[in-house]
Amino acid sequence: MNIRARVVVGVYPGQADGVVLQAAVFAARFDAELVCAWVDPGRHPRADHAEAPAPGDGAGIDPYLTAHLTRILGGHDIEWSTRQLSGDPARALGQLAETLRAAMIVVGTRDSAVRGSLQEFFAGSIAMHLAHRQSRPVVVVPLAPVSFDDDVPWESD
């Protein structure tokens, strides 16, 4: 039995396109399915959350997010699907990647302007938590890199 490789990417409404587009590049290079996973931190996780909804059905995902993903991934020759997860984003993405035996997890960095608390919650500590708790590679896509000479708000003394 041949199991197709998968790349899991964390997505959320308003996220920079670069994260998903870079994940699509990895998926194409690995001939893998791209699994776009949105985590609702306000919902309690179900024991079977990594298996539901079925790949590609988009159930539970914000329809505007799904439409946006369709627009930006439409020109890429890859198979992709969506998943809605719940609970702690790092844990949920890690569990999904484990269940799917994903080749990697892709997330974005925190925007240097930190536009909102949801974005800060989702993108800020997720990469760090995944990097320290995963046995698979975690790829962190820089959203708004700053110079080493510039201060960033979360690295203040």
Side-chain angles (χ1 to χ4, degrees):
M1 178 164 76
N2 188 10
I3 298 175
R4 181 147 196 207
R6 292 185 175 113
V7 171
V8 171
V9 60
V11 298
Y12 58 91
Q15 177 182 33
D17 292 351
V19 177
V20 174
L21 292 173
Q22 185 60 56
V25 168
F26 289 125
R29 287 190 181 157
F30 290 126
D31 190 28
E33 175 189 358
L34 180 64
V35 179
C36 302
W38 178 71
V39 183
D40 182 350
R43 290 183 45 201
H44 294 290
R46 297 182 342 213
D48 64 341
H49 78 280
E51 293 300 325
D57 72 2
I61 298 281
D62 179 317
Y64 295 107
L65 178 57
T66 301
H68 185 71
L69 291 169
T70 300
R71 275 193 304 279
I72 65 175
L73 292 172
H76 295 268
D77 188 25
I78 60 168
E79 181 179 331
W80 66 278
S81 63
T82 59
R83 300 284 177 102
Q84 180 181 358
L85 309 174
S86 58
D88 174 75
R91 182 179 300 260
L93 289 171
Q95 288 175 344
L96 177 64
E98 182 68 28
T99 299
L100 298 177
R101 296 186 198 144
M104 66 177 63
I105 302 170
V106 180
V107 294
T109 59
R110 184 186 318 205
D111 186 320
S112 62
V114 187
R115 287 179 273 196
S117 61
L118 179 61
Q119 179 176 346
E120 180 178 359
F121 174 74
F122 187 82
S125 63
I126 306 277
M128 181 182 69
H129 285 283
L130 283 168
H132 291 286
R133 295 184 169 100
Q134 282 302 304
S135 60
R136 66 193 20 84
V138 176
V139 176
V140 182
V141 178
L143 294 178
V146 295
S147 165
F148 280 103
D149 296 330
D150 294 333
D151 291 328
V152 286
W154 55 89
E155 290 181 348
S156 61
D157 295 337

